[in-house]
Amino acid sequence: MVTRGIRGATTVTHNNEEHILKETAVLLQEIVDRNEIQPEDICSVWITMTGDLDAAFPAKAIRQLDGWELVPLMCALEVPVAGALPQCIRFMVHVNTAKGQNEINHVYLNGAQSLRPDLAAPSNS
């Protein structure tokens, strides 16, 4: 097994706790489903969000999920680059896996699909 990074990003329409927690949970679930992973496979999750989002810590949504209590989570502020996508939450999920780099499915949802249109596959749901 090796450790791989899985990228993900989404946007919210409102800077409030409900939207931030909901979209964080949706993004995490898509990453888990598309990559067929379990919390036990996760080394850590690095979460950033843009400075215009300050109503909640996205990690709160993950810590409330069954089986995710022991997964190390870290939130940080995204680099404030002029013209960057607003109201954006980004993930870097470090996972232990036997999959090759080309088998990893990165997930970009909502407005974040514009960040990596080459990787923004439609949802399998």
Side-chain angles (χ1 to χ4, degrees), residues 7-103:
R7 286 296 318 266
T10 191
T11 55
V12 298
T13 55
H14 302 290
N15 178 30
N16 66 43
E17 183 175 36
E18 178 185 353
H19 284 264
I20 291 170
L21 299 183
K22 177 183 177 279
E23 292 303 328
T24 296
V26 168
L27 177 59
L28 179 67
Q29 192 60 55
E30 282 293 322
I31 289 171
V32 167
D33 291 349
R34 292 185 195 187
N35 289 283
E36 301 173 326
I37 55 177
Q38 304 296 320
E40 186 66 25
D41 301 326
I42 307 295
C43 301
S44 63
V45 181
W46 183 257
I47 307 159
T48 65
M49 56 185 193
T50 51
D52 53 0
L53 298 178
D54 61 4
F57 289 105
K60 179 179 178 180
I62 299 171
R63 286 191 185 104
Q64 294 174 347
L65 300 172
D66 288 337
W68 289 84
E69 306 84 15
L70 300 177
V71 175
L73 307 171
M74 179 66 71
C75 293
L77 189 60
E78 187 66 34
V79 176
V81 175
L85 182 65
Q87 297 183 306
C88 187
I89 301 167
R90 292 175 170 90
F91 283 12
M92 174 66 78
V93 179
H94 301 104
V95 60
N96 291 317
T97 183
K99 292 182 181 183
Q101 191 72 17
N102 64 336
E103 298 174 282

Coordinates of all heavy atoms in Angstrom, one line a residue, residues 7-103:
R7 N -8.0 14.9 -4.2 CA -8.5 16.3 -4.1 C -10.0 16.3 -4.3 O -10.6 15.5 -4.9 CB -7.8 17.0 -5.3 CG -6.3 17.3 -5.1 CD -6.1 18.3 -3.9 NE -7.0 19.3 -3.8 CZ -6.9 20.6 -4.3 NH1 -5.8 20.9 -5.0 NH2 -7.8 21.5 -4.1
G8 N -10.5 17.3 -3.7 CA -11.9 17.6 -3.8 C -12.2 19.1 -3.5 O -11.5 19.7 -2.7
A9 N -13.3 19.6 -4.1 CA -13.7 20.9 -3.8 C -15.2 21.1 -4.1 O -15.7 20.4 -4.9 CB -12.9 21.9 -4.6
T10 N -15.8 22.0 -3.4 CA -17.2 22.4 -3.6 C -17.4 23.8 -3.2 O -16.5 24.5 -2.7 CB -18.1 21.5 -2.8 OG1 -19.5 21.7 -3.2 CG2 -18.0 21.7 -1.3
T11 N -18.5 24.4 -3.6 CA -18.9 25.7 -3.2 C -20.2 25.7 -2.4 O -21.0 24.7 -2.5 CB -19.0 26.7 -4.4 OG1 -19.9 26.1 -5.3 CG2 -17.7 26.9 -5.1
V12 N -20.4 26.7 -1.7 CA -21.7 26.9 -1.0 C -22.3 28.2 -1.5 O -21.7 29.1 -2.0 CB -21.5 27.0 0.6 CG1 -20.9 25.7 1.1 CG2 -20.6 28.2 1.0
T13 N -23.6 28.3 -1.3 CA -24.4 29.5 -1.8 C -24.5 30.5 -0.7 O -24.8 31.7 -1.0 CB -25.7 29.1 -2.4 OG1 -26.5 28.4 -1.4 CG2 -25.6 28.3 -3.6
H14 N -24.4 30.1 0.6 CA -24.6 31.0 1.7 C -23.5 30.7 2.8 O -23.2 29.6 3.0 CB -26.0 30.8 2.3 CG -27.1 31.0 1.4 ND1 -27.4 32.3 0.9 CD2 -28.0 30.2 0.8 CE1 -28.4 32.1 0.1 NE2 -28.8 30.9 0.0
N15 N -23.0 31.8 3.4 CA -22.1 31.6 4.5 C -22.8 31.4 5.8 O -23.0 32.3 6.6 CB -21.2 32.9 4.6 CG -20.2 32.8 5.7 OD1 -19.8 31.7 6.1 ND2 -19.9 34.0 6.3
N16 N -23.4 30.2 5.9 CA -24.0 29.9 7.2 C -23.6 28.4 7.5 O -23.2 27.6 6.7 CB -25.5 30.1 7.2 CG -26.3 29.3 6.3 OD1 -26.0 28.1 6.2 ND2 -27.2 29.9 5.5
E17 N -23.8 28.1 8.8 CA -23.3 26.8 9.3 C -24.0 25.6 8.5 O -23.4 24.7 8.1 CB -23.6 26.6 10.8 CG -23.1 25.3 11.3 CD -23.2 25.2 12.8 OE1 -24.2 25.8 13.4 OE2 -22.3 24.6 13.5
E18 N -25.3 25.8 8.3 CA -26.1 24.7 7.7 C -25.5 24.4 6.3 O -25.3 23.2 5.9 CB -27.5 25.1 7.5 CG -28.4 24.1 6.8 CD -29.8 24.5 6.6 OE1 -30.2 25.6 7.1 OE2 -30.6 23.8 5.9
H19 N -25.3 25.4 5.5 CA -24.7 25.2 4.1 C -23.3 24.6 4.1 O -23.0 23.7 3.4 CB -24.8 26.4 3.3 CG -26.2 26.8 2.8 ND1 -26.7 26.5 1.6 CD2 -27.2 27.4 3.5 CE1 -27.9 26.9 1.5 NE2 -28.3 27.5 2.6
I20 N -22.5 25.2 5.0 CA -21.1 24.7 5.0 C -21.0 23.2 5.5 O -20.3 22.4 4.8 CB -20.3 25.6 6.0 CG1 -20.1 27.0 5.4 CG2 -18.9 25.0 6.3 CD1 -19.5 28.1 6.3
L21 N -21.8 22.9 6.5 CA -21.7 21.5 7.0 C -22.4 20.5 6.0 O -21.8 19.4 5.7 CB -22.4 21.4 8.3 CG -21.8 22.2 9.5 CD1 -22.6 21.9 10.8 CD2 -20.3 21.9 9.6
K22 N -23.5 20.9 5.3 CA -24.1 20.1 4.4 C -23.2 19.8 3.2 O -23.0 18.6 2.8 CB -25.4 20.7 3.9 CG -26.1 19.9 2.8 CD -27.4 20.6 2.3 CE -28.0 19.9 1.1 NZ -27.4 20.1 -0.1
E23 N -22.6 20.8 2.6 CA -21.8 20.7 1.4 C -20.5 19.9 1.7 O -20.0 19.2 0.9 CB -21.5 22.0 0.7 CG -22.8 22.6 0.1 CD -23.5 21.7 -1.0 OE1 -22.8 20.9 -1.6 OE2 -24.7 21.8 -1.0
T24 N -20.0 20.1 2.9 CA -18.8 19.4 3.4 C -19.1 17.9 3.4 O -18.3 17.1 2.9 CB -18.3 19.9 4.7 OG1 -17.9 21.2 4.6 CG2 -17.2 19.0 5.3
A25 N -20.2 17.5 4.0 CA -20.6 16.1 4.1 C -20.9 15.5 2.7 O -20.5 14.4 2.4 CB -21.9 16.0 5.0
V26 N -21.5 16.3 1.8 CA -21.8 15.8 0.4 C -20.4 15.5 -0.3 O -20.3 14.5 -0.9 CB -22.6 16.8 -0.3 CG1 -22.7 16.4 -1.8 CG2 -24.1 16.8 0.2
L27 N -19.5 16.5 -0.2 CA -18.2 16.3 -0.8 C -17.5 15.1 -0.3 O -17.0 14.3 -1.1 CB -17.4 17.6 -0.7 CG -16.0 17.5 -1.2 CD1 -16.0 17.2 -2.7 CD2 -15.2 18.8 -0.9
L28 N -17.4 14.9 1.0 CA -16.8 13.8 1.6 C -17.4 12.5 1.1 O -16.7 11.5 0.8 CB -16.8 13.9 3.1 CG -16.1 12.7 3.8 CD1 -14.6 12.6 3.6 CD2 -16.4 12.7 5.3
Q29 N -18.7 12.4 1.1 CA -19.4 11.2 0.7 C -19.1 10.8 -0.7 O -18.9 9.7 -1.1 CB -20.9 11.3 0.9 CG -21.6 10.0 0.8 CD -21.2 8.9 1.8 OE1 -21.2 9.2 3.0 NE2 -20.7 7.8 1.4
E30 N -19.0 11.8 -1.6 CA -18.7 11.6 -3.0 C -17.3 11.1 -3.1 O -17.0 10.1 -3.9 CB -18.8 12.9 -3.8 CG -20.3 13.2 -4.2 CD -20.9 12.2 -5.1 OE1 -20.2 11.7 -6.1 OE2 -22.1 11.9 -4.9
I31 N -16.3 11.6 -2.4 CA -14.9 11.2 -2.4 C -14.9 9.7 -1.9 O -14.2 8.9 -2.6 CB -14.0 12.1 -1.5 CG1 -13.9 13.4 -2.2 CG2 -12.7 11.4 -1.3 CD1 -13.2 14.5 -1.4
V32 N -15.5 9.4 -0.8 CA -15.6 8.0 -0.3 C -16.2 7.1 -1.3 O -15.6 6.0 -1.6 CB -16.3 8.0 1.0 CG1 -16.7 6.6 1.5 CG2 -15.5 8.7 2.1
D33 N -17.3 7.4 -1.9 CA -18.0 6.5 -2.8 C -17.2 6.3 -4.1 O -17.1 5.2 -4.5 CB -19.4 7.1 -3.2 CG -20.4 7.1 -2.0 OD1 -20.1 6.4 -1.0 OD2 -21.5 7.7 -2.1
R34 N -16.8 7.4 -4.7 CA -16.1 7.3 -6.0 C -14.7 6.6 -5.8 O -14.2 6.0 -6.8 CB -15.8 8.6 -6.6 CG -17.1 9.3 -7.0 CD -16.8 10.6 -7.7 NE -18.0 11.4 -7.8 CZ -18.1 12.5 -8.5 NH1 -17.0 13.0 -9.2 NH2 -19.2 13.2 -8.6
N35 N -14.1 6.5 -4.6 CA -12.8 5.9 -4.4 C -12.9 4.6 -3.6 O -11.9 4.0 -3.4 CB -11.9 6.9 -3.8 CG -11.5 8.0 -4.8 OD1 -10.7 7.7 -5.7 ND2 -12.1 9.1 -4.6
E36 N -14.1 4.2 -3.2 CA -14.4 3.0 -2.5 C -13.4 2.9 -1.3 O -12.7 1.9 -1.1 CB -14.2 1.8 -3.4 CG -15.2 1.8 -4.6 CD -15.0 0.7 -5.6 OE1 -13.8 0.4 -5.8 OE2 -16.0 0.3 -6.1
I37 N -13.5 3.9 -0.4 CA -12.6 3.9 0.8 C -13.5 3.9 2.0 O -14.6 4.3 2.0 CB -11.6 5.1 0.7 CG1 -12.4 6.4 0.6 CG2 -10.6 4.9 -0.3 CD1 -11.5 7.6 0.6
Q38 N -12.8 3.6 3.1 CA -13.4 3.6 4.5 C -12.6 4.6 5.4 O -11.5 4.8 5.1 CB -13.4 2.2 5.1 CG -14.0 1.1 4.3 CD -15.5 1.3 4.1 OE1 -16.2 1.7 5.0 NE2 -16.0 1.1 2.9
P39 N -13.3 5.0 6.4 CA -12.5 5.9 7.3 C -11.2 5.3 7.8 O -10.2 6.1 8.0 CB -13.5 6.1 8.5 CG -14.8 5.9 7.9 CD -14.6 4.9 6.8
E40 N -11.1 4.1 8.0 CA -9.9 3.4 8.5 C -8.8 3.5 7.5 O -7.6 3.5 7.9 CB -10.2 1.9 8.7 CG -9.1 1.2 9.4 CD -8.7 1.6 10.8 OE1 -9.6 2.2 11.5 OE2 -7.5 1.4 11.2
D41 N -9.1 3.8 6.2 CA -8.1 3.9 5.2 C -7.5 5.3 5.1 O -6.4 5.5 4.5 CB -8.7 3.7 3.8 CG -9.3 2.3 3.6 OD1 -8.8 1.4 4.2 OD2 -10.3 2.2 2.8
I42 N -8.1 6.3 5.8 CA -7.7 7.7 5.7 C -6.6 8.0 6.7 O -6.7 7.7 7.9 CB -8.9 8.6 6.0 CG1 -10.1 8.3 5.1 CG2 -8.6 10.1 5.9 CD1 -9.9 8.5 3.7
C43 N -5.5 8.6 6.2 CA -4.5 9.0 7.1 C -4.8 10.4 7.8 O -4.6 10.6 9.0 CB -3.2 9.2 6.3 SG -2.6 7.8 5.5
S44 N -5.3 11.3 6.9 CA -5.7 12.6 7.4 C -6.5 13.3 6.3 O -6.4 12.9 5.2 CB -4.5 13.4 7.8 OG -3.7 13.7 6.7
V45 N -7.2 14.4 6.7 CA -7.9 15.2 5.8 C -7.5 16.7 6.1 O -7.7 17.2 7.2 CB -9.5 15.1 5.9 CG1 -10.2 16.0 4.9 CG2 -9.9 13.6 5.7
W46 N -7.0 17.3 5.1 CA -6.7 18.8 5.1 C -7.8 19.5 4.4 O -8.1 19.2 3.3 CB -5.3 19.0 4.4 CG -4.8 20.4 4.5 CD1 -4.9 21.3 3.5 CD2 -4.2 21.0 5.5 NE1 -4.3 22.4 3.9 CE2 -3.9 22.3 5.1 CE3 -3.8 20.6 6.8 CZ2 -3.2 23.2 6.0 CZ3 -3.2 21.5 7.7 CH2 -2.9 22.8 7.2
I47 N -8.4 20.4 5.1 CA -9.6 21.2 4.6 C -9.2 22.7 4.6 O -8.8 23.2 5.6 CB -10.8 21.0 5.5 CG1 -11.1 19.5 5.7 CG2 -12.0 21.7 4.9 CD1 -11.9 19.2 7.0
T48 N -9.4 23.3 3.5 CA -9.3 24.8 3.4 C -10.6 25.4 3.0 O -11.4 24.7 2.3 CB -8.2 25.2 2.5 OG1 -8.5 24.9 1.2 CG2 -6.8 24.6 2.9
M49 N -10.8 26.6 3.3 CA -11.9 27.3 2.8 C -11.6 28.8 2.6 O -10.6 29.3 3.2 CB -13.2 27.2 3.6 CG -13.1 27.5 5.0 SD -14.7 27.1 5.7 CE -14.6 27.9 7.3
T50 N -12.3 29.4 1.7 CA -12.0 30.8 1.4 C -12.4 31.7 2.5 O -13.2 31.4 3.3 CB -12.7 31.2 0.1 OG1 -14.1 30.9 0.2 CG2 -12.1 30.5 -1.1
G51 N -11.7 32.9 2.6 CA -11.9 33.8 3.7 C -13.3 34.3 3.8 O -13.7 34.9 4.9
D52 N -14.2 34.2 2.8 CA -15.6 34.7 2.9 C -16.5 33.7 3.6 O -17.6 33.9 3.8 CB -16.1 35.1 1.5 CG -15.9 33.9 0.5 OD1 -15.4 32.9 0.8 OD2 -16.3 34.2 -0.7
L53 N -15.9 32.6 4.0 CA -16.7 31.6 4.8 C -16.1 31.5 6.2 O -15.0 31.1 6.4 CB -16.6 30.2 4.1 CG -17.1 30.0 2.7 CD1 -16.9 28.6 2.2 CD2 -18.6 30.4 2.7
D54 N -17.0 31.9 7.1 CA -16.5 32.0 8.5 C -17.6 31.6 9.5 O -17.5 31.8 10.7 CB -16.0 33.3 8.9 CG -17.0 34.5 8.7 OD1 -18.2 34.2 8.4 OD2 -16.6 35.6 8.9
A55 N -18.7 30.9 9.0 CA -19.8 30.6 9.9 C -19.7 29.2 10.6 O -20.4 28.9 11.5 CB -21.1 30.6 9.1
A56 N -18.7 28.4 10.1 CA -18.5 27.1 10.7 C -17.2 26.5 10.3 O -16.7 26.8 9.2 CB -19.7 26.1 10.2
F57 N -16.7 25.5 11.1 CA -15.6 24.7 10.7 C -16.1 23.5 9.9 O -16.9 22.8 10.4 CB -14.9 24.2 12.0 CG -14.1 25.2 12.7 CD1 -14.6 25.7 13.9 CD2 -12.9 25.7 12.3 CE1 -13.9 26.6 14.7 CE2 -12.2 26.7 13.0 CZ -12.7 27.2 14.2
P58 N -15.6 23.3 8.7 CA -16.1 22.2 7.9 C -15.8 20.8 8.6 O -16.6 19.9 8.4 CB -15.3 22.3 6.6 CG -14.8 23.7 6.5 CD -14.7 24.2 7.9
A59 N -14.7 20.8 9.4 CA -14.4 19.5 10.1 C -15.5 19.1 11.0 O -15.7 17.9 11.2 CB -13.1 19.7 10.8
K60 N -16.3 20.0 11.5 CA -17.4 19.6 12.4 C -18.4 18.6 11.7 O -18.8 17.7 12.3 CB -18.2 20.9 12.8 CG -19.4 20.6 13.7 CD -20.1 21.9 14.1 CE -21.3 21.6 15.0 NZ -22.0 22.9 15.3
A61 N -18.6 18.8 10.4 CA -19.5 17.9 9.7 C -18.9 16.5 9.6 O -19.6 15.5 9.7 CB -19.8 18.4 8.2
I62 N -17.6 16.4 9.4 CA -17.0 15.1 9.3 C -16.9 14.4 10.7 O -17.2 13.2 10.8 CB -15.6 15.3 8.7 CG1 -15.7 15.9 7.3 CG2 -14.8 13.9 8.7 CD1 -14.3 16.3 6.7
R63 N -16.6 15.2 11.7 CA -16.5 14.6 13.0 C -17.8 14.0 13.5 O -17.9 13.2 14.4 CB -16.0 15.6 14.0 CG -14.5 15.9 13.9 CD -14.0 16.7 15.0 NE -12.6 17.0 14.8 CZ -12.2 18.2 14.4 NH1 -13.0 19.2 14.2 NH2 -10.9 18.4 14.1
Q64 N -19.0 14.4 13.0 CA -20.3 14.0 13.4 C -20.7 12.6 12.7 O -21.7 12.0 13.0 CB -21.3 15.0 13.1 CG -21.2 16.3 13.9 CD -22.1 17.4 13.5 OE1 -22.8 17.4 12.5 NE2 -22.2 18.4 14.4
L65 N -19.9 12.2 11.7 CA -20.2 11.0 11.0 C -19.7 9.8 11.7 O -18.6 9.8 12.2 CB -19.6 11.1 9.6 CG -20.0 12.2 8.7 CD1 -19.2 12.3 7.4 CD2 -21.5 12.1 8.4
D66 N -20.4 8.7 11.7 CA -20.0 7.4 12.3 C -18.7 6.9 11.7 O -18.6 6.9 10.5 CB -21.1 6.4 12.2 CG -22.3 6.6 13.1 OD1 -22.1 7.4 14.1 OD2 -23.4 6.1 12.7
G67 N -17.8 6.6 12.5 CA -16.5 6.0 12.0 C -15.4 7.0 11.8 O -14.3 6.7 11.5
W68 N -15.8 8.3 11.8 CA -14.8 9.3 11.4 C -14.2 10.0 12.7 O -13.4 11.0 12.5 CB -15.4 10.4 10.5 CG -15.7 9.8 9.2 CD1 -16.8 9.1 8.8 CD2 -14.8 9.9 8.0 NE1 -16.6 8.7 7.4 CE2 -15.4 9.2 7.0 CE3 -13.6 10.5 7.8 CZ2 -14.8 9.1 5.7 CZ3 -13.0 10.4 6.6 CH2 -13.6 9.7 5.5
E69 N -14.6 9.6 13.9 CA -14.1 10.2 15.1 C -12.6 10.3 15.3 O -12.1 11.2 15.9 CB -14.7 9.6 16.3 CG -16.2 9.4 16.3 CD -16.7 8.2 15.5 OE1 -15.9 7.3 15.2 OE2 -17.9 8.2 15.2
L70 N -11.9 9.3 14.8 CA -10.5 9.2 15.0 C -9.6 9.7 13.8 O -8.4 9.7 13.9 CB -10.1 7.7 15.3 CG -10.8 7.2 16.6 CD1 -10.4 5.7 16.8 CD2 -10.4 8.0 17.8
V71 N -10.3 10.1 12.7 CA -9.5 10.5 11.5 C -9.0 11.9 11.8 O -9.8 12.8 12.2 CB -10.4 10.5 10.3 CG1 -9.7 11.1 9.1 CG2 -10.9 9.1 10.0
P72 N -7.7 12.1 11.7 CA -7.2 13.5 11.9 C -7.7 14.5 10.8 O -7.6 14.2 9.6 CB -5.7 13.3 11.8 CG -5.4 11.8 12.0 CD -6.7 11.2 11.4
L73 N -8.2 15.6 11.3 CA -8.7 16.6 10.4 C -8.1 18.0 10.8 O -7.8 18.2 11.9 CB -10.3 16.8 10.7 CG -11.1 15.5 10.5 CD1 -12.5 15.8 11.0 CD2 -11.1 14.9 9.1
M74 N -7.8 18.8 9.8 CA -7.3 20.1 10.0 C -7.9 21.1 9.0 O -8.0 20.8 7.8 CB -5.8 20.1 9.7 CG -5.1 21.4 9.9 SD -5.1 22.0 11.6 CE -3.9 20.9 12.4
C75 N -8.4 22.2 9.6 CA -9.0 23.3 8.7 C -8.0 24.4 8.7 O -7.2 24.7 9.6 CB -10.2 23.8 9.4 SG -11.6 22.6 9.4
A76 N -8.0 25.1 7.5 CA -7.1 26.3 7.3 C -7.8 27.2 6.3 O -8.7 26.9 5.6 CB -5.8 25.8 6.8
L77 N -7.3 28.4 6.3 CA -7.8 29.4 5.4 C -7.0 29.3 4.1 O -5.8 29.2 4.0 CB -7.5 30.8 6.0 CG -8.1 32.0 5.3 CD1 -9.7 31.9 5.3 CD2 -7.7 33.3 6.0
E78 N -7.8 29.3 3.0 CA -7.2 29.2 1.6 C -6.4 30.5 1.3 O -6.7 31.6 1.8 CB -8.3 29.1 0.6 CG -7.9 28.8 -0.8 CD -7.2 27.5 -1.0 OE1 -7.6 26.5 -0.3 OE2 -6.3 27.4 -1.9
V79 N -5.4 30.4 0.5 CA -4.6 31.6 0.2 C -5.5 32.6 -0.6 O -6.2 32.2 -1.5 CB -3.4 31.2 -0.8 CG1 -2.7 32.4 -1.3 CG2 -2.5 30.2 -0.1
P80 N -5.5 33.8 -0.1 CA -6.4 34.8 -0.7 C -5.9 35.4 -2.0 O -5.4 36.5 -2.0 CB -6.6 35.9 0.4 CG -5.2 35.8 1.1 CD -4.8 34.4 1.1
V81 N -6.1 34.8 -3.1 CA -5.6 35.2 -4.4 C -6.8 36.0 -5.0 O -7.9 35.6 -5.1 CB -5.2 34.0 -5.3 CG1 -4.9 34.5 -6.7 CG2 -4.1 33.3 -4.6
A82 N -6.4 37.2 -5.6 CA -7.4 38.0 -6.2 C -8.1 37.2 -7.4 O -7.4 36.6 -8.2 CB -6.8 39.3 -6.8
G83 N -9.4 37.3 -7.5 CA -10.1 36.6 -8.5 C -10.4 35.1 -8.3 O -10.9 34.4 -9.1
A84 N -10.0 34.6 -7.1 CA -10.2 33.2 -6.8 C -11.7 32.9 -6.7 O -12.5 33.8 -6.4 CB -9.4 32.8 -5.6
L85 N -12.0 31.6 -6.8 CA -13.4 31.2 -6.7 C -13.9 31.5 -5.3 O -13.3 31.0 -4.3 CB -13.5 29.7 -7.0 CG -14.9 29.1 -6.9 CD1 -15.8 29.7 -8.0 CD2 -14.8 27.6 -7.1
P86 N -15.0 32.2 -5.1 CA -15.5 32.5 -3.7 C -16.3 31.4 -3.1 O -16.7 30.4 -3.9 CB -16.3 33.7 -4.0 CG -16.8 33.6 -5.4 CD -15.7 32.9 -6.1
Q87 N -16.4 31.4 -1.8 CA -17.3 30.5 -1.1 C -16.9 29.0 -1.4 O -17.8 28.2 -1.6 CB -18.7 30.8 -1.3 CG -19.1 32.1 -0.8 CD -20.6 32.4 -1.0 OE1 -21.2 32.3 -2.0 NE2 -21.3 32.8 0.1
C88 N -15.6 28.8 -1.4 CA -15.1 27.4 -1.8 C -14.5 26.7 -0.6 O -13.7 27.3 0.2 CB -14.1 27.6 -2.9 SG -13.5 26.1 -3.6
I89 N -14.8 25.4 -0.5 CA -14.2 24.5 0.4 C -13.4 23.5 -0.3 O -13.9 22.9 -1.3 CB -15.3 23.8 1.3 CG1 -16.2 24.8 2.0 CG2 -14.7 22.8 2.2 CD1 -17.5 24.2 2.5
R90 N -12.2 23.3 0.1 CA -11.3 22.3 -0.6 C -10.8 21.2 0.3 O -10.6 21.5 1.5 CB -10.1 23.1 -1.2 CG -10.4 24.0 -2.4 CD -9.2 24.8 -2.8 NE -9.3 25.5 -4.0 CZ -9.8 26.8 -4.0 NH1 -10.1 27.4 -2.9 NH2 -9.9 27.4 -5.2
F91 N -10.6 20.0 -0.2 CA -10.1 18.9 0.6 C -8.8 18.4 -0.1 O -8.7 18.3 -1.3 CB -11.1 17.7 0.5 CG -12.3 17.8 1.4 CD1 -12.7 19.0 2.0 CD2 -13.1 16.7 1.5 CE1 -13.8 19.0 2.8 CE2 -14.2 16.7 2.3 CZ -14.6 17.8 3.0
M92 N -8.0 17.9 0.8 CA -6.9 17.0 0.4 C -7.0 15.8 1.4 O -6.6 15.9 2.5 CB -5.5 17.7 0.5 CG -4.3 16.7 0.2 SD -4.3 16.2 -1.5 CE -3.6 17.6 -2.2
V93 N -7.5 14.7 0.8 CA -7.6 13.5 1.6 C -6.4 12.6 1.4 O -6.2 12.2 0.3 CB -9.0 12.8 1.2 CG1 -9.1 11.5 2.1 CG2 -10.2 13.7 1.4
H94 N -5.7 12.3 2.5 CA -4.6 11.4 2.4 C -5.1 10.0 2.7 O -5.6 9.7 3.8 CB -3.5 11.8 3.3 CG -3.0 13.2 3.1 ND1 -3.4 14.3 3.8 CD2 -2.2 13.7 2.1 CE1 -2.8 15.3 3.3 NE2 -2.1 15.0 2.3
V95 N -4.9 9.0 1.8 CA -5.5 7.7 2.0 C -4.5 6.6 1.7 O -3.6 6.8 0.8 CB -6.7 7.5 1.0 CG1 -6.4 7.7 -0.4 CG2 -7.4 6.2 1.2
N96 N -4.5 5.6 2.5 CA -3.7 4.4 2.2 C -4.4 3.5 1.3 O -5.6 3.2 1.5 CB -3.4 3.6 3.5 CG -2.5 4.4 4.5 OD1 -1.5 5.0 4.0 ND2 -2.8 4.4 5.7
T97 N -3.8 3.2 0.2 CA -4.5 2.4 -0.9 C -3.5 1.6 -1.7 O -2.3 2.0 -1.8 CB -5.3 3.4 -1.8 OG1 -6.0 2.6 -2.8 CG2 -4.4 4.4 -2.5
A98 N -4.0 0.6 -2.4 CA -3.3 -0.2 -3.3 C -3.5 0.4 -4.8 O -2.9 -0.1 -5.7 CB -3.7 -1.6 -3.3
K99 N -4.4 1.4 -4.9 CA -4.7 1.9 -6.2 C -3.5 2.7 -6.7 O -2.8 3.4 -6.0 CB -5.9 2.8 -6.1 CG -7.2 2.1 -5.8 CD -8.4 3.0 -5.8 CE -9.6 2.2 -5.5 NZ -10.8 3.1 -5.6
G100 N -3.4 2.7 -8.1 CA -2.4 3.6 -8.7 C -2.9 5.0 -8.8 O -4.1 5.3 -8.7
Q101 N -2.0 5.9 -9.0 CA -2.4 7.3 -9.1 C -3.5 7.6 -10.1 O -4.4 8.4 -9.9 CB -1.1 8.2 -9.5 CG -1.3 9.7 -9.4 CD -1.4 10.1 -7.9 OE1 -1.0 9.4 -7.0 NE2 -1.8 11.3 -7.7
N102 N -3.4 6.8 -11.3 CA -4.4 7.0 -12.3 C -5.8 6.4 -12.0 O -6.8 6.6 -12.7 CB -3.9 6.4 -13.6 CG -3.7 4.9 -13.5 OD1 -3.5 4.4 -12.4 ND2 -3.7 4.2 -14.6
E103 N -5.9 5.7 -10.8 CA -7.2 5.1 -10.4 C -7.9 5.9 -9.3 O -9.0 5.6 -8.9 CB -6.9 3.7 -9.8 CG -6.3 2.7 -10.8 CD -6.0 1.4 -10.2 OE1 -4.9 1.4 -9.5 OE2 -6.8 0.5 -10.3

